[in-house]
Amino acid sequence: MKVGVMASGRGSNFQAIIDAELRKETPDVEIIQLIVNKPEVYAIERAKKNNIPYEIIDSSKMNREEFDKEAIRIFEKKEIQIIVLAGFMRILSPFFINKYKNKILNIHPSLLPAFPGAHAHRDTLKYGAKISGCTAHIVDEGIDSGPIILQSTVEIDRDETEDSLSTKILVHEHKILPKALQLLCSGKIVLDGRKVTIKPD
Ligand code: GAR
């Protein structure tokens, strides 16, 4: 499957799916294109190092509809079939989501449906949760609300900080994101409403 990636920053999850592809752990995945919504993000360096074409669509210079249309234009040109949001910190329009219905995968640093949104670690600690983790899910029109493919948990220590929790969870994100991507690309995911079952090998 031809995979397009959208990222807004450091891109360590982008790197995780690149590495999994290089290690041949994701035989149905071919990463074809990166789109970032800001210039000078580190994800671009990762694309360059791995010879993956990238485009910058500066989201500060246009509205949501214009941004999404430009992203679709780029992905269509490359015949992208599956999209990964790898630390992509923007909401996509219903137009975009319906265009790629059940074909967009997101990684989120909490155990959804708890703590959706842009400040998952802060919200988790503020709430006093004792465990957290990450969720790989299909994107629907809501915020971090789509069908869950995989989750992984971590324990929260007494002296946990946003930084330490983020570092701890990231290790798990890098494991479940490539796995969920391979499941999606290999057609192993069966959706019944918002419930995901995984076809056995
Ligand atoms: C990751 O922790 C990802 O789960 C989170 O942003 C970080 C990006 O890191 N995404 C969200 O919070 C989406 N709501 P990365 O750029 O190193 O992959």
Side-chain angles (χ1 to χ4, degrees), residues 5-166:
V5 180
M6 300 176 91
S8 299
R10 176 180 56 181
S12 72
N13 278 290
F14 175 43
Q15 189 69 53
I17 58 174
I18 294 171
D19 291 344
E21 187 184 336
L22 291 174
R23 288 195 302 263
K24 304 197 186 313
E25 290 166 9
T26 53
D28 296 293
V29 173
E30 195 187 351
I31 302 169
I32 300 281
Q33 178 75 48
L34 171 71
I35 291 177
V36 295
N37 66 308
K38 288 184 245 173
E40 294 158 24
V41 296
Y42 193 69
I44 293 174
E45 303 309 313
R46 301 182 192 273
K48 284 182 187 164
K49 271 186 205 147
N50 291 279
N51 295 317
I52 296 169
Y54 67 91
E55 295 272 358
I56 304 164
I57 314 176
D58 192 340
S59 53
S60 67
K61 300 209 165 108
M62 63 189 84
N63 67 33
R64 190 176 315 284
E65 215 169 277
E66 287 165 339
F67 179 93
D68 287 7
K69 277 197 177 142
E70 181 58 9
I72 289 173
R73 190 189 66 74
I74 292 163
F75 283 152
E76 278 190 331
K77 210 165 99 190
K78 295 286 179 76
E79 298 176 335
I80 294 300
Q81 297 161 291
I82 299 283
I83 294 167
V84 181
L85 308 184
F88 184 64
M89 304 306 275
R90 269 178 70 81
I91 293 166
L92 292 162
S93 60
F95 174 72
F96 187 102
I97 288 160
N98 285 316
K99 168 101 191 139
Y100 292 99
K101 198 169 169 55
N102 298 332
K103 305 285 183 207
I104 310 171
L105 176 65
N106 184 40
I107 183 76
H108 182 76
S110 76
L111 293 177
L112 292 171
F115 314 117
H119 306 287
H121 307 105
R122 188 182 73 191
D123 296 344
T124 301
L125 293 177
K126 203 169 159 202
Y127 196 85
K130 301 296 183 211
I131 57 164
S132 188
C134 52
T135 304
H137 68 94
I138 291 169
V139 175
D140 66 7
E141 287 186 22
I143 296 182
D144 301 322
S145 58
I148 292 169
I149 302 175
L150 294 173
Q151 292 184 303
S152 187
T153 59
V154 303
E155 283 191 18
I156 296 175
D157 294 328
R158 274 165 64 128
D159 56 353
E160 205 76 73
T161 64
E162 275 183 51
D163 276 353
S164 67
L165 182 59
S166 160

